[in-house]
Amino acid sequence: MLPIEHLQKSNTIENLWIYILSLLRKRKVYAWKIPGLVEKEFKFKPGKITPYRVLYRLEKEGFVKSEMEERRRIYQITGKGKKELELAKNFFQEILNKI
């Protein structure tokens, strides 16, 4: 694997939580829509099950919350999730400033 390929993988698929929180910061989203939105907005395709696992973990840790809406679970970011996303943005910005 080329260095750029490793960088892309480790900053996309392996850190899907950043992209999910970013989507949820803009609007509430049904879980089944997340893979398509990630692909459309961030130009990579997550696995079919991975987004659900990440959402479950994010909800368990209080970064997102869900509610039932028309027999479907819809997710939204919490204040804690917004703070975590901001920390991630600051982390990447610091690295970019040093490169």
Side-chain angles (χ1 to χ4, degrees):
M1 181 180 294
L2 294 172
I4 190 65
E5 292 171 330
H6 180 70
L7 180 65
Q8 289 169 332
K9 182 179 178 185
S10 66
N11 285 286
T12 56
I13 295 167
E14 293 180 6
N15 283 294
L16 186 56
W17 66 272
I18 294 169
Y19 303 96
I20 290 175
L21 289 181
S22 180
L23 291 170
L24 295 177
R25 184 187 66 217
K26 298 174 188 173
R27 61 194 170 280
K28 294 178 181 180
V29 178
Y30 294 112
W32 60 270
K33 282 189 142 189
I34 287 178
L37 289 171
V38 167
E39 187 172 8
K40 180 180 176 184
E41 293 192 30
F42 301 110
K43 310 296 186 227
F44 74 94
K45 188 174 183 174
K48 291 185 180 202
I49 306 252
T50 307
Y52 296 99
R53 294 172 67 197
V54 172
L55 274 172
Y56 175 78
R57 201 170 335 131
L58 288 171
E59 186 170 28
K60 185 178 177 185
E61 295 173 9
F63 298 113
V64 303
K65 63 182 179 179
S66 68
E67 57 189 30
M68 293 302 287
E69 188 175 283
E70 299 177 17
R71 298 184 305 180
R72 294 182 181 158
R73 189 162 297 281
I74 192 164
Y75 289 86
Q76 64 185 29
I77 194 168
T78 63
K80 183 177 178 181
K82 289 176 185 176
K83 288 178 188 174
E84 196 71 9
L85 184 59
E86 193 62 33
L87 290 171
K89 286 171 56 176
N90 291 340
F91 171 78
F92 281 119
Q93 191 60 53
E94 285 180 31
I95 290 172
L96 289 173
N97 289 340
K98 292 178 182 179
I99 292 179

